[in-house]
Amino acid sequence: MKRIALLGMPNTGKSTLFNRLSGASARVGNWPGITVDLMSAKVLIGGHIAELIDLPGLYDLHGFSDDEQVVRHFLSNHAVDLVLIVLNSSQIDRQLSLALQIKQLGLPTVLLLNMQDEAKRSGITIDTQAMASQLGFPVATMSAKYGDGCPQALQLAGQVLNNVAVIPAPSDVSKLLELDSQIEQTMHDIVKHSVQMPIKLNDETTDKIDRVLLHPWLGLPLFFLAMFLLFQFIFTAGKPLQDGMAWALELFRTEALEPLLISLPSWLNGLLLDGIYNGIGTVAAFVPIIVLFFLVMSMVEDSGYLSRAAFLMDTLMAKMGLDGRGFVMVLMGFGCNVPALMGTRVMRSRPMRLLTMLVIPLSLCSARLQVFLFMIATLFVASQAAYIMFALYMVSFFTIFLTAILFKHQYKSTEPFILELPPYRFPTPRQIWLRGWQEVKHFLKRASKFIVIGVVLVWVLTHYPTDVAPASAATIAGQIGQIFAPVLDPIGIDTQLAIALIFGFVAKEIVVGSLAVIYGLQGDALSHQIAMNIDWVQGMSFMLFTLIYTPCLSTIATMKSESKSSLFMWLSIVWSLALAWVISFIFYQGARALGF
Amino acid sequence: MTVLSNLMPGQYGTIQAIHAEQALYQRLNALGFRIGKKIALIRRASFNGPLHVRIGATDIILREIEAQRIQLNLV
């Protein structure tokens, strides 16, 4: 099968073109030695089914950024039948450098001048014939967003593909990649001969919007307002969808599965229903939130506002070793950690992305909120509730700052903070939907197996041996709780709470339900029993631990699939457990020492 | 002769020299920072934050520390 590499500078609509060509058929391919996801799809070009690979955006073929190294690594190790270069027509005067660098590799190439609609509006005209004859390969103008010029560009690509006799070996390309290039003069000449640009090129509308959104005083409040509204939208719209999903799954269980499996032995029945089926339910619960999150995030990203967030928040975030885009993801983590972790993909520097991924699980997500609301109602009077909740949010922020500051030297970004501010653009509904759909597919493919296995494992721990009461002290989980008693006693956590923490690894949504199973009580009787068993200091210590340690299996699975590193996943688990213990210890022993 | 970080919003100049190591130099180059190009400072973020500059049709944000390395003549 022929292989086509899609390559271009960032913010040129390269991925939009990829989505247009691939439709919903794109998948994440596995390429040895590459730590970022490369999407690929089978497309029909020039009568061939070809594999089209969306390479990361790059500025310079000889550059040092992570993405630039990925592209070099790819071209040095895989034979490519055709390179499609995507450049922004409005910025052709500087972006042509990339096309000239590719030309030196001797690969069959077609240059696509994208965003023709914007260029036309700003009065830029490009003589593609003249440019093609000077470059030595075909040039086509197009608009990937609206599809104009797309068929012609594909036809051109097909012709080149059909005429190619031999392609350079990856090892030869690799050698050429090491040579640096002097292209400045050539670029200048080509632009002079084939491009006409008006003197003044500013996008008036963008300027006007920026004057408000980047205003020295208004900018930040508007940013926080926008984030608040988006957050509210995602999680208020997501709640009924999640509830509906849970309702449908429960209905299917009681109406179809339970009658069907009733004749099975109880352990097998439990394993299938409470283990595997609940595991599937845990995965499914995230689907609506992920779709909504990426609907909103792709709007924020494609509109150009995300780079503005980086501009506004940089002073504060730079001290933590993060940037403003990381801040947006951490904020979104307060709703749900899983999509926030997936969203860090917008950060192109791997160290900075890992640092952001390390702090996101510390943000107090809505699932943990449910546990706290229950515990607070159980152990505190109503007038104290707001203070306790506030304190927990403060602890969450504190652990985020602490972790970022402690780890920022390990995950030091080597990339200079120089970002393009693209003009404001309206993303098309198609772009937005495709993104949401792709992310859900990605999550299901990468995380579901891991999550189901984890849920089954916790079910086994809390239900074996079978001859004792589930989730009691005699189960494996109870025994683990007892083994860890020397560690858990100093933070005031007894065996029952320890079992609840083991359940909590699956998801914080099930912690309150697990307490009901552990104590064998429901509703008021459960609250009453917990208030009898533990005092508020123990309860607070339990909440602090719940806040800081691993949020849920889905977060762990996402952490692993996004970082492509088990080591990093373990670092996150161990660090959050250690931090949870230390903070609970300081609180519990401090409170006891003060006589509480 | 001055450096980019000394510009006031609304002022512009012509790039004379870029004092940067290779990685930074290449990135700046690819974004259009080349000798002889005109560059304008649009605004600064509050609390000594990044600078928003414009070269040709490209708007770019960069930090003070990088902006100090770009020498220019005021126009």
Side-chain angles (χ1 to χ4, degrees), chain B residues 27-69:
Chain B
R27 173 61 58 85
L28 288 169
N29 241 286
L31 281 164
F33 291 75
R34 289 171 191 268
I35 313 287
K37 287 268 181 184
K38 253 191 194 175
I39 182 166
L41 181 72
I42 309 293
R43 60 170 62 79
R44 286 164 190 272
S46 22
F47 312 113
N48 239 339
L51 286 74
H52 175 181
V53 301
R54 179 171 295 154
I55 304 177
T58 312
D59 279 24
I60 295 149
I61 55 175
L62 73 171
R63 289 185 181 144
E64 177 104 22
I65 184 104
E66 276 96 19
Q68 283 169 359
R69 294 147 166 263

mmCIF file of all heavy atoms in Angstrom, chain B residues 27-69:
data_model
loop_
_atom_site.group_PDB
_atom_site.id
_atom_site.type_symbol
_atom_site.label_atom_id
_atom_site.label_comp_id
_atom_site.label_asym_id
_atom_site.label_seq_id
_atom_site.Cartn_x
_atom_site.Cartn_y
_atom_site.Cartn_z
ATOM 1 N N ARG B 27 13.372 28.553 15.658
ATOM 2 C CA ARG B 27 11.942 28.757 15.896
ATOM 3 C C ARG B 27 11.535 30.193 15.527
ATOM 4 O O ARG B 27 10.542 30.428 14.846
ATOM 5 C CB ARG B 27 11.612 28.459 17.357
ATOM 6 C CG ARG B 27 10.196 28.801 17.784
ATOM 7 C CD ARG B 27 9.149 28.043 17.022
ATOM 8 N NE ARG B 27 9.317 26.611 17.144
ATOM 9 C CZ ARG B 27 8.832 25.886 18.144
ATOM 10 N NH1 ARG B 27 8.143 26.462 19.083
ATOM 11 N NH2 ARG B 27 9.038 24.595 18.190
ATOM 12 N N LEU B 28 12.364 31.148 15.960
ATOM 13 C CA LEU B 28 12.071 32.550 15.647
ATOM 14 C C LEU B 28 12.054 32.766 14.141
ATOM 15 O O LEU B 28 11.180 33.431 13.596
ATOM 16 C CB LEU B 28 13.105 33.458 16.320
ATOM 17 C CG LEU B 28 12.984 33.594 17.846
ATOM 18 C CD1 LEU B 28 14.203 34.299 18.416
ATOM 19 C CD2 LEU B 28 11.711 34.342 18.222
ATOM 20 N N ASN B 29 13.051 32.166 13.483
ATOM 21 C CA ASN B 29 13.138 32.271 12.033
ATOM 22 C C ASN B 29 11.888 31.757 11.346
ATOM 23 O O ASN B 29 11.332 32.403 10.461
ATOM 24 C CB ASN B 29 14.315 31.420 11.567
ATOM 25 C CG ASN B 29 15.353 32.252 10.880
ATOM 26 O OD1 ASN B 29 15.145 32.670 9.761
ATOM 27 N ND2 ASN B 29 16.429 32.535 11.576
ATOM 28 N N ALA B 30 11.435 30.582 11.776
ATOM 29 C CA ALA B 30 10.272 29.962 11.145
ATOM 30 C C ALA B 30 9.024 30.787 11.369
ATOM 31 O O ALA B 30 8.094 30.765 10.564
ATOM 32 C CB ALA B 30 10.075 28.555 11.690
ATOM 33 N N LEU B 31 8.993 31.517 12.480
ATOM 34 C CA LEU B 31 7.825 32.351 12.747
ATOM 35 C C LEU B 31 7.948 33.719 12.084
ATOM 36 O O LEU B 31 7.088 34.582 12.266
ATOM 37 C CB LEU B 31 7.616 32.495 14.255
ATOM 38 C CG LEU B 31 6.939 31.274 14.890
ATOM 39 C CD1 LEU B 31 7.095 31.287 16.400
ATOM 40 C CD2 LEU B 31 5.473 31.198 14.512
ATOM 41 N N GLY B 32 9.008 33.934 11.353
ATOM 42 C CA GLY B 32 9.116 35.160 10.575
ATOM 43 C C GLY B 32 10.073 36.198 11.136
ATOM 44 O O GLY B 32 10.212 37.286 10.586
ATOM 45 N N PHE B 33 10.738 35.891 12.252
ATOM 46 C CA PHE B 33 11.736 36.816 12.795
ATOM 47 C C PHE B 33 12.996 36.680 11.959
ATOM 48 O O PHE B 33 13.798 35.776 12.172
ATOM 49 C CB PHE B 33 12.087 36.483 14.254
ATOM 50 C CG PHE B 33 10.988 36.738 15.244
ATOM 51 C CD1 PHE B 33 9.906 35.889 15.324
ATOM 52 C CD2 PHE B 33 11.046 37.831 16.105
ATOM 53 C CE1 PHE B 33 8.892 36.110 16.244
ATOM 54 C CE2 PHE B 33 10.031 38.053 17.028
ATOM 55 C CZ PHE B 33 8.954 37.190 17.097
ATOM 56 N N ARG B 34 13.145 37.562 10.975
ATOM 57 C CA ARG B 34 14.339 37.543 10.144
ATOM 58 C C ARG B 34 14.880 38.956 10.055
ATOM 59 O O ARG B 34 14.134 39.925 10.167
ATOM 60 C CB ARG B 34 14.010 37.004 8.741
ATOM 61 C CG ARG B 34 13.707 35.501 8.744
ATOM 62 C CD ARG B 34 13.171 35.045 7.407
ATOM 63 N NE ARG B 34 12.634 33.685 7.504
ATOM 64 C CZ ARG B 34 13.333 32.581 7.252
ATOM 65 N NH1 ARG B 34 14.600 32.660 6.871
ATOM 66 N NH2 ARG B 34 12.786 31.395 7.366
ATOM 67 N N ILE B 35 16.203 39.038 9.861
ATOM 68 C CA ILE B 35 16.857 40.341 9.790
ATOM 69 C C ILE B 35 16.169 41.197 8.716
ATOM 70 O O ILE B 35 15.914 40.725 7.613
ATOM 71 C CB ILE B 35 18.356 40.192 9.424
ATOM 72 C CG1 ILE B 35 19.019 39.110 10.275
ATOM 73 C CG2 ILE B 35 19.083 41.529 9.510
ATOM 74 C CD1 ILE B 35 19.261 39.440 11.694
ATOM 75 N N GLY B 36 15.897 42.445 9.055
ATOM 76 C CA GLY B 36 15.307 43.356 8.083
ATOM 77 C C GLY B 36 13.795 43.405 8.118
ATOM 78 O O GLY B 36 13.191 44.285 7.509
ATOM 79 N N LYS B 37 13.169 42.462 8.842
ATOM 80 C CA LYS B 37 11.697 42.450 8.898
ATOM 81 C C LYS B 37 11.197 43.508 9.886
ATOM 82 O O LYS B 37 11.828 43.778 10.896
ATOM 83 C CB LYS B 37 11.204 41.075 9.344
ATOM 84 C CG LYS B 37 11.340 40.015 8.296
ATOM 85 C CD LYS B 37 10.069 39.934 7.479
ATOM 86 C CE LYS B 37 10.233 38.823 6.419
ATOM 87 N NZ LYS B 37 9.081 38.772 5.540
ATOM 88 N N LYS B 38 10.029 44.020 9.575
ATOM 89 C CA LYS B 38 9.395 44.993 10.472
ATOM 90 C C LYS B 38 8.617 44.260 11.555
ATOM 91 O O LYS B 38 7.924 43.284 11.266
ATOM 92 C CB LYS B 38 8.418 45.847 9.664
ATOM 93 C CG LYS B 38 8.912 47.256 9.422
ATOM 94 C CD LYS B 38 7.774 48.079 8.864
ATOM 95 C CE LYS B 38 8.290 49.380 8.282
ATOM 96 N NZ LYS B 38 7.205 50.114 7.639
ATOM 97 N N ILE B 39 8.722 44.762 12.775
ATOM 98 C CA ILE B 39 8.010 44.108 13.870
ATOM 99 C C ILE B 39 7.343 45.172 14.745
ATOM 100 O O ILE B 39 7.931 46.232 14.979
ATOM 101 C CB ILE B 39 8.969 43.213 14.691
ATOM 102 C CG1 ILE B 39 8.226 42.482 15.807
ATOM 103 C CG2 ILE B 39 10.123 44.003 15.283
ATOM 104 C CD1 ILE B 39 9.031 41.355 16.409
ATOM 105 N N ALA B 40 6.113 44.901 15.174
ATOM 106 C CA ALA B 40 5.385 45.870 15.992
ATOM 107 C C ALA B 40 5.018 45.234 17.325
ATOM 108 O O ALA B 40 4.690 44.042 17.383
ATOM 109 C CB ALA B 40 4.118 46.320 15.272
ATOM 110 N N LEU B 41 5.091 46.021 18.390
ATOM 111 C CA LEU B 41 4.610 45.530 19.676
ATOM 112 C C LEU B 41 3.146 45.934 19.800
ATOM 113 O O LEU B 41 2.804 47.117 19.730
ATOM 114 C CB LEU B 41 5.413 46.117 20.836
ATOM 115 C CG LEU B 41 4.967 45.602 22.206
ATOM 116 C CD1 LEU B 41 5.375 44.156 22.396
ATOM 117 C CD2 LEU B 41 5.525 46.437 23.339
ATOM 118 N N ILE B 42 2.268 44.946 19.955
ATOM 119 C CA ILE B 42 0.840 45.229 20.043
ATOM 120 C C ILE B 42 0.447 45.516 21.489
ATOM 121 O O ILE B 42 -0.186 46.510 21.795
ATOM 122 C CB ILE B 42 -0.008 44.052 19.506
ATOM 123 C CG1 ILE B 42 0.480 43.630 18.125
ATOM 124 C CG2 ILE B 42 -1.484 44.416 19.475
ATOM 125 C CD1 ILE B 42 0.278 44.639 17.030
ATOM 126 N N ARG B 43 0.794 44.623 22.382
ATOM 127 C CA ARG B 43 0.465 44.828 23.802
ATOM 128 C C ARG B 43 1.330 43.941 24.682
ATOM 129 O O ARG B 43 2.022 43.056 24.188
ATOM 130 C CB ARG B 43 -1.012 44.518 24.057
ATOM 131 C CG ARG B 43 -1.415 43.079 23.724
ATOM 132 C CD ARG B 43 -2.801 42.783 24.209
ATOM 133 N NE ARG B 43 -3.813 43.620 23.590
ATOM 134 C CZ ARG B 43 -4.324 43.429 22.372
ATOM 135 N NH1 ARG B 43 -3.888 42.417 21.644
ATOM 136 N NH2 ARG B 43 -5.246 44.222 21.885
ATOM 137 N N ARG B 44 1.280 44.241 25.972
ATOM 138 C CA ARG B 44 1.931 43.387 26.961
ATOM 139 C C ARG B 44 0.864 42.845 27.891
ATOM 140 O O ARG B 44 -0.091 43.554 28.209
ATOM 141 C CB ARG B 44 2.893 44.194 27.833
ATOM 142 C CG ARG B 44 4.170 44.595 27.169
ATOM 143 C CD ARG B 44 4.830 45.693 28.005
ATOM 144 N NE ARG B 44 5.953 46.275 27.289
ATOM 145 C CZ ARG B 44 7.183 45.771 27.358
ATOM 146 N NH1 ARG B 44 7.439 44.734 28.114
ATOM 147 N NH2 ARG B 44 8.151 46.324 26.653
ATOM 148 N N ALA B 45 1.044 41.609 28.370
ATOM 149 C CA ALA B 45 0.117 41.071 29.366
ATOM 150 C C ALA B 45 0.420 41.727 30.715
ATOM 151 O O ALA B 45 1.548 42.162 30.952
ATOM 152 C CB ALA B 45 0.273 39.561 29.470
ATOM 153 N N SER B 46 -0.614 41.792 31.578
ATOM 154 C CA SER B 46 -0.390 42.436 32.869
ATOM 155 C C SER B 46 0.562 41.595 33.726
ATOM 156 O O SER B 46 0.829 40.438 33.417
ATOM 157 C CB SER B 46 -1.717 42.671 33.584
ATOM 158 O OG SER B 46 -2.711 41.812 33.114
ATOM 159 N N PHE B 47 1.054 42.177 34.791
ATOM 160 C CA PHE B 47 2.031 41.563 35.712
ATOM 161 C C PHE B 47 3.290 41.134 34.968
ATOM 162 O O PHE B 47 3.805 40.035 35.181
ATOM 163 C CB PHE B 47 1.435 40.340 36.434
ATOM 164 C CG PHE B 47 0.088 40.583 37.033
ATOM 165 C CD1 PHE B 47 -1.040 39.941 36.533
ATOM 166 C CD2 PHE B 47 -0.064 41.477 38.079
ATOM 167 C CE1 PHE B 47 -2.283 40.166 37.081
ATOM 168 C CE2 PHE B 47 -1.319 41.703 38.628
ATOM 169 C CZ PHE B 47 -2.431 41.055 38.128
ATOM 170 N N ASN B 48 3.801 41.992 34.097
ATOM 171 C CA ASN B 48 5.050 41.686 33.403
ATOM 172 C C ASN B 48 4.980 40.401 32.577
ATOM 173 O O ASN B 48 5.952 39.666 32.474
ATOM 174 C CB ASN B 48 6.178 41.533 34.431
ATOM 175 C CG ASN B 48 7.262 42.541 34.144
ATOM 176 O OD1 ASN B 48 7.352 43.043 33.017
ATOM 177 N ND2 ASN B 48 8.054 42.847 35.149
ATOM 178 N N GLY B 49 3.821 40.130 32.032
ATOM 179 C CA GLY B 49 3.603 38.902 31.273
ATOM 180 C C GLY B 49 4.190 38.979 29.880
ATOM 181 O O GLY B 49 4.986 39.866 29.581
ATOM 182 N N PRO B 50 3.803 38.042 29.013
ATOM 183 C CA PRO B 50 4.384 37.983 27.678
ATOM 184 C C PRO B 50 4.044 39.197 26.799
ATOM 185 O O PRO B 50 3.150 39.967 27.115
ATOM 186 C CB PRO B 50 3.770 36.714 27.080
ATOM 187 C CG PRO B 50 2.816 36.179 28.049
ATOM 188 C CD PRO B 50 2.838 36.995 29.285
ATOM 189 N N LEU B 51 4.790 39.311 25.703
ATOM 190 C CA LEU B 51 4.572 40.398 24.745
ATOM 191 C C LEU B 51 3.813 39.850 23.544
ATOM 192 O O LEU B 51 4.035 38.714 23.139
ATOM 193 C CB LEU B 51 5.919 40.955 24.259
ATOM 194 C CG LEU B 51 6.728 41.831 25.200
ATOM 195 C CD1 LEU B 51 7.369 40.975 26.284
ATOM 196 C CD2 LEU B 51 7.806 42.553 24.413
ATOM 197 N N HIS B 52 2.940 40.667 23.025
ATOM 198 C CA HIS B 52 2.192 40.302 21.834
ATOM 199 C C HIS B 52 2.756 41.143 20.688
ATOM 200 O O HIS B 52 2.650 42.357 20.717
ATOM 201 C CB HIS B 52 0.707 40.591 22.101
ATOM 202 C CG HIS B 52 -0.194 40.380 20.918
ATOM 203 N ND1 HIS B 52 -1.541 40.608 20.978
ATOM 204 C CD2 HIS B 52 0.055 39.979 19.656
ATOM 205 C CE1 HIS B 52 -2.094 40.351 19.804
ATOM 206 N NE2 HIS B 52 -1.144 39.979 18.980
ATOM 207 N N VAL B 53 3.388 40.484 19.719
ATOM 208 C CA VAL B 53 4.019 41.233 18.624
ATOM 209 C C VAL B 53 3.431 40.806 17.287
ATOM 210 O O VAL B 53 2.744 39.793 17.183
ATOM 211 C CB VAL B 53 5.552 41.019 18.600
ATOM 212 C CG1 VAL B 53 6.181 41.462 19.908
ATOM 213 C CG2 VAL B 53 5.894 39.572 18.297
ATOM 214 N N ARG B 54 3.684 41.595 16.282
ATOM 215 C CA ARG B 54 3.176 41.276 14.944
ATOM 216 C C ARG B 54 4.274 41.448 13.907
ATOM 217 O O ARG B 54 4.930 42.484 13.843
ATOM 218 C CB ARG B 54 1.986 42.174 14.614
ATOM 219 C CG ARG B 54 1.404 41.937 13.227
ATOM 220 C CD ARG B 54 0.113 42.699 13.047
ATOM 221 N NE ARG B 54 -0.913 42.198 13.957
ATOM 222 C CZ ARG B 54 -1.943 42.928 14.389
ATOM 223 N NH1 ARG B 54 -2.069 44.179 14.012
ATOM 224 N NH2 ARG B 54 -2.825 42.396 15.200
ATOM 225 N N ILE B 55 4.481 40.396 13.112
ATOM 226 C CA ILE B 55 5.405 40.483 11.971
ATOM 227 C C ILE B 55 4.611 40.100 10.742
ATOM 228 O O ILE B 55 4.113 38.976 10.664
ATOM 229 C CB ILE B 55 6.575 39.500 12.104
ATOM 230 C CG1 ILE B 55 7.315 39.741 13.416
ATOM 231 C CG2 ILE B 55 7.525 39.649 10.933
ATOM 232 C CD1 ILE B 55 8.426 38.749 13.640
ATOM 233 N N GLY B 56 4.483 40.993 9.798
ATOM 234 C CA GLY B 56 3.688 40.698 8.606
ATOM 235 C C GLY B 56 2.288 40.288 9.028
ATOM 236 O O GLY B 56 1.620 41.010 9.754
ATOM 237 N N ALA B 57 1.874 39.090 8.600
ATOM 238 C CA ALA B 57 0.512 38.656 8.903
ATOM 239 C C ALA B 57 0.448 37.778 10.137
ATOM 240 O O ALA B 57 -0.585 37.224 10.446
ATOM 241 C CB ALA B 57 -0.049 37.893 7.709
ATOM 242 N N THR B 58 1.563 37.620 10.837
ATOM 243 C CA THR B 58 1.588 36.681 11.949
ATOM 244 C C THR B 58 1.632 37.402 13.290
ATOM 245 O O THR B 58 2.477 38.266 13.505
ATOM 246 C CB THR B 58 2.814 35.757 11.836
ATOM 247 O OG1 THR B 58 2.892 35.257 10.505
ATOM 248 C CG2 THR B 58 2.718 34.607 12.805
ATOM 249 N N ASP B 59 0.717 37.031 14.188
ATOM 250 C CA ASP B 59 0.739 37.530 15.559
ATOM 251 C C ASP B 59 1.391 36.486 16.439
ATOM 252 O O ASP B 59 1.065 35.308 16.339
ATOM 253 C CB ASP B 59 -0.689 37.794 16.069
ATOM 254 C CG ASP B 59 -1.207 39.137 15.573
ATOM 255 O OD1 ASP B 59 -0.702 39.600 14.532
ATOM 256 O OD2 ASP B 59 -2.101 39.710 16.227
ATOM 257 N N ILE B 60 2.299 36.934 17.293
ATOM 258 C CA ILE B 60 3.077 35.982 18.089
ATOM 259 C C ILE B 60 3.153 36.489 19.517
ATOM 260 O O ILE B 60 3.228 37.691 19.757
ATOM 261 C CB ILE B 60 4.505 35.854 17.502
ATOM 262 C CG1 ILE B 60 4.439 35.233 16.109
ATOM 263 C CG2 ILE B 60 5.409 35.019 18.406
ATOM 264 C CD1 ILE B 60 5.504 35.701 15.191
ATOM 265 N N ILE B 61 3.121 35.552 20.489
ATOM 266 C CA ILE B 61 3.418 35.950 21.864
ATOM 267 C C ILE B 61 4.742 35.332 22.284
ATOM 268 O O ILE B 61 5.057 34.195 21.916
ATOM 269 C CB ILE B 61 2.294 35.563 22.858
ATOM 270 C CG1 ILE B 61 1.974 34.079 22.802
ATOM 271 C CG2 ILE B 61 1.048 36.373 22.587
ATOM 272 C CD1 ILE B 61 0.968 33.645 23.847
ATOM 273 N N LEU B 62 5.523 36.097 23.006
ATOM 274 C CA LEU B 62 6.786 35.583 23.527
ATOM 275 C C LEU B 62 7.104 36.270 24.841
ATOM 276 O O LEU B 62 6.549 37.327 25.150
ATOM 277 C CB LEU B 62 7.931 35.751 22.522
ATOM 278 C CG LEU B 62 8.535 37.116 22.244
ATOM 279 C CD1 LEU B 62 9.779 36.963 21.397
ATOM 280 C CD2 LEU B 62 7.560 38.036 21.550
ATOM 281 N N ARG B 63 7.972 35.651 25.624
ATOM 282 C CA ARG B 63 8.285 36.209 26.942
ATOM 283 C C ARG B 63 9.347 37.287 26.822
ATOM 284 O O ARG B 63 10.127 37.317 25.870
ATOM 285 C CB ARG B 63 8.764 35.100 27.884
ATOM 286 C CG ARG B 63 7.645 34.184 28.291
ATOM 287 C CD ARG B 63 8.094 33.166 29.319
ATOM 288 N NE ARG B 63 6.981 32.277 29.665
ATOM 289 C CZ ARG B 63 7.094 30.982 29.932
ATOM 290 N NH1 ARG B 63 8.283 30.416 29.908
ATOM 291 N NH2 ARG B 63 6.038 30.275 30.245
ATOM 292 N N GLU B 64 9.378 38.133 27.842
ATOM 293 C CA GLU B 64 10.363 39.202 27.971
ATOM 294 C C GLU B 64 11.792 38.700 27.703
ATOM 295 O O GLU B 64 12.549 39.306 26.956
ATOM 296 C CB GLU B 64 10.243 39.741 29.415
ATOM 297 C CG GLU B 64 11.222 40.815 29.778
ATOM 298 C CD GLU B 64 10.588 42.189 29.791
ATOM 299 O OE1 GLU B 64 9.354 42.274 29.931
ATOM 300 O OE2 GLU B 64 11.332 43.172 29.651
ATOM 301 N N ILE B 65 12.117 37.558 28.308
ATOM 302 C CA ILE B 65 13.488 37.046 28.245
ATOM 303 C C ILE B 65 13.935 36.767 26.812
ATOM 304 O O ILE B 65 15.077 37.044 26.437
ATOM 305 C CB ILE B 65 13.614 35.789 29.137
ATOM 306 C CG1 ILE B 65 15.045 35.253 29.208
ATOM 307 C CG2 ILE B 65 12.690 34.681 28.723
ATOM 308 C CD1 ILE B 65 15.692 35.593 30.520
ATOM 309 N N GLU B 66 12.997 36.276 25.997
ATOM 310 C CA GLU B 66 13.340 36.044 24.591
ATOM 311 C C GLU B 66 13.336 37.360 23.806
ATOM 312 O O GLU B 66 14.131 37.551 22.893
ATOM 313 C CB GLU B 66 12.378 35.046 23.945
ATOM 314 C CG GLU B 66 12.742 33.591 24.180
ATOM 315 C CD GLU B 66 12.010 32.970 25.355
ATOM 316 O OE1 GLU B 66 10.971 33.526 25.765
ATOM 317 O OE2 GLU B 66 12.501 31.943 25.886
ATOM 318 N N ALA B 67 12.433 38.256 24.194
ATOM 319 C CA ALA B 67 12.323 39.524 23.476
ATOM 320 C C ALA B 67 13.570 40.383 23.660
ATOM 321 O O ALA B 67 13.906 41.207 22.814
ATOM 322 C CB ALA B 67 11.086 40.286 23.950
ATOM 323 N N GLN B 68 14.293 40.158 24.765
ATOM 324 C CA GLN B 68 15.516 40.939 25.006
ATOM 325 C C GLN B 68 16.614 40.580 24.017
ATOM 326 O O GLN B 68 17.587 41.315 23.863
ATOM 327 C CB GLN B 68 16.030 40.664 26.425
ATOM 328 C CG GLN B 68 15.242 41.396 27.493
ATOM 329 C CD GLN B 68 15.590 40.910 28.889
ATOM 330 O OE1 GLN B 68 16.413 40.003 29.050
ATOM 331 N NE2 GLN B 68 14.969 41.515 29.887
ATOM 332 N N ARG B 69 16.467 39.421 23.382
ATOM 333 C CA ARG B 69 17.533 38.955 22.498
ATOM 334 C C ARG B 69 17.370 39.472 21.068
ATOM 335 O O ARG B 69 18.167 39.164 20.206
ATOM 336 C CB ARG B 69 17.534 37.436 22.473
ATOM 337 C CG ARG B 69 17.904 36.831 23.797
ATOM 338 C CD ARG B 69 17.155 35.537 23.965
ATOM 339 N NE ARG B 69 17.698 34.751 25.063
ATOM 340 C CZ ARG B 69 18.574 33.765 24.886
ATOM 341 N NH1 ARG B 69 18.999 33.442 23.683
ATOM 342 N NH2 ARG B 69 19.014 33.079 25.909
#
